[in-house]
Amino acid sequence: MSLLRVENLTKEFGGVRAVADLSFAIDRGRIHSIIGPNGAGKTTLFNLITGVYTPTAGRISLDGHDITALPTAARAARGIQRTFQNLQIFFNMTAIENVMVGRHLHLDTRFLPSLLSLPAIRRANRSAAERATELMRFVGLDSWLDADADAMPYGALKRLEIARALAAEPSLLLLDEPAAGLNPKETADIDALIQKIAASGTTVVLVEHDMKLVMGVSDHILVLDYGQRLAEGTAEEVRSNPEVVRAYLGQAAPGVG
Ligand SMILES: Nc1ncnc2c1ncn2[C@@H]1O[C@H](COP(=O)(O)OP(=O)(O)OP(=O)(O)O)[C@@H](O)[C@H]1O
Ligand SMILES: [Mg+2]
């Protein structure tokens, strides 16, 4: 059974069909990419999968369970996490605290504020801090363990977001342009990190404009155009598809760069 299944999904904003009758499946334990020109509906699709938006029509299921009507937090509890195209970092916190926020989504800490002094909660926080440290090392932020978030450079913040998403121990991780704005060395590091995450058992869905990264790292690629599926397959299949090349006219074609 596929991990994620999207069936006839549609999202309309006024007259714009950002996602239009889209169906696809994501298999477990692989690196899947979703590409397409600007405005193709990629971020909207992530917002639908995570529950930020309610679809106009269609169905989303995770592990065979219909999650279409579930709120964001319930989907996170079932194993869906994401990073954002525009960084969503808490700049008034330390780096470790940012990662711990992700961990707390995983723990049931609804009553945390009033119970902070209870030993059990203190232990839970200590273990969250230890796990956050481990995750920062995992994403390559060893030298920023004691940093305040607002002192970190952009490239490190992109990885901090990934660490925060991983802190909730997702089965499905959605990455929205993790390499945007990064230099070639930083992008190569993200490539290696994505492979490490997939190797650790988390299924990755990557939205990215950096075609060298996408073509190199993906087991499977879905190409969107105007919210619809334009093509699907391996890097080789997608790259040589004339429809795909045509959709990218005026932008960097998937074969280039
Ligand atoms: N909240 C919204 N309200 C109205 N229109 C929206 C909203 N979100 C997205 N859209 C529209 O939906 C379409 C798809 O946008 P989306 O951000 O999903 O594209 P994208 O594939 O992520 O593009 P990019 O590669 O530039 O990030 C665009 O036409 C966009 O203007
Ligand atoms: Mg986007």
Side-chain angles (χ1 to χ4, degrees):
M1 188 198 299
S2 299
L3 178 58
L4 183 81
R5 186 168 288 279
V6 165
E7 290 165 280
N8 307 107
L9 198 65
T10 297
K11 180 63 183 178
E12 291 172 359
F13 296 108
V16 177
R17 294 185 99 203
V19 172
D21 198 24
L22 180 67
S23 300
F24 65 91
I26 298 286
D27 290 336
R28 240 178 226 86
R30 298 170 72 197
I31 300 172
H32 302 258
S33 287
I34 300 177
I35 64 171
N38 294 115
K42 305 178 297 291
T43 298
T44 301
L45 181 58
F46 275 11
N47 283 327
L48 289 165
I49 294 170
T50 53
V52 174
Y53 294 154
T54 306
T56 308
R59 187 172 184 272
I60 304 168
S61 48
L62 182 74
D63 249 332
H65 300 283
D66 189 339
I67 60 165
T68 317
L70 289 184
T72 304
R75 298 186 202 208
R78 282 171 183 254
I80 301 179
Q81 283 294 325
R82 59 98 60 93
T83 63
F84 295 86
Q85 185 168 351
N86 304 307
L87 286 173
Q88 307 265 310
I89 295 289
F90 301 107
F91 284 106
N92 56 338
M93 293 183 182
T94 65
I96 292 265
E97 283 167 350
N98 266 274
V99 182
M100 285 174 71
V101 167
R103 180 71 182 173
H104 280 141
L105 294 174
H106 178 69
L107 302 171
D108 185 0
T109 51
R110 272 172 295 176
F111 307 109
L112 187 61
S114 56
L115 297 175
L116 267 174
S117 62
L118 285 183
I121 298 291
R122 276 211 304 273
R123 269 200 303 280
N125 266 337
R126 194 154 53 233
S127 100
E130 281 164 13
R131 181 69 183 135
T133 304
E134 265 172 40
L135 284 167
M136 283 188 64
R137 292 188 199 281
F138 182 83
V139 302
L141 291 176
D142 308 58
S143 51
W144 299 97
L145 290 176
D146 297 318
D148 289 327
D150 65 5
M152 295 170 72
Y154 178 77
L157 292 172
K158 292 291 269 186
R159 278 180 283 151
L160 186 63
E161 261 213 345
I162 296 175
R164 184 176 60 204
L166 289 173
E169 295 181 10
S171 52
L172 181 64
L173 177 62
L174 312 176
L175 300 173
D176 199 349
E177 303 201 19
L182 300 187
N183 66 36
K185 160 79 172 79
E186 291 169 327
T187 302
D189 290 344
I190 288 288
D191 183 320
L193 177 57
I194 290 170
Q195 298 196 49
K196 224 164 70 164
I197 292 167
S200 76
T202 299
T203 303
V204 176
V205 180
L206 171 68
V207 161
E208 186 48 67
H209 285 290
D210 184 319
M211 286 308 143
K212 185 161 172 267
L213 173 60
V214 167
M215 294 298 162
V217 86
S218 311
D219 296 306
H220 182 263
I221 301 171
L222 169 67
V223 188
L224 294 187
D225 194 24
Y226 297 105
Q228 293 177 303
R229 180 175 57 194
L230 186 69
E232 199 173 357
T234 63
E236 211 45 59
E237 286 163 352
V238 160
R239 200 174 6 214
S240 59
N241 184 315
E243 296 271 333
V244 176
V245 175
R246 203 170 307 130
Y248 273 90
L249 280 178
Q251 297 193 24
V256 181

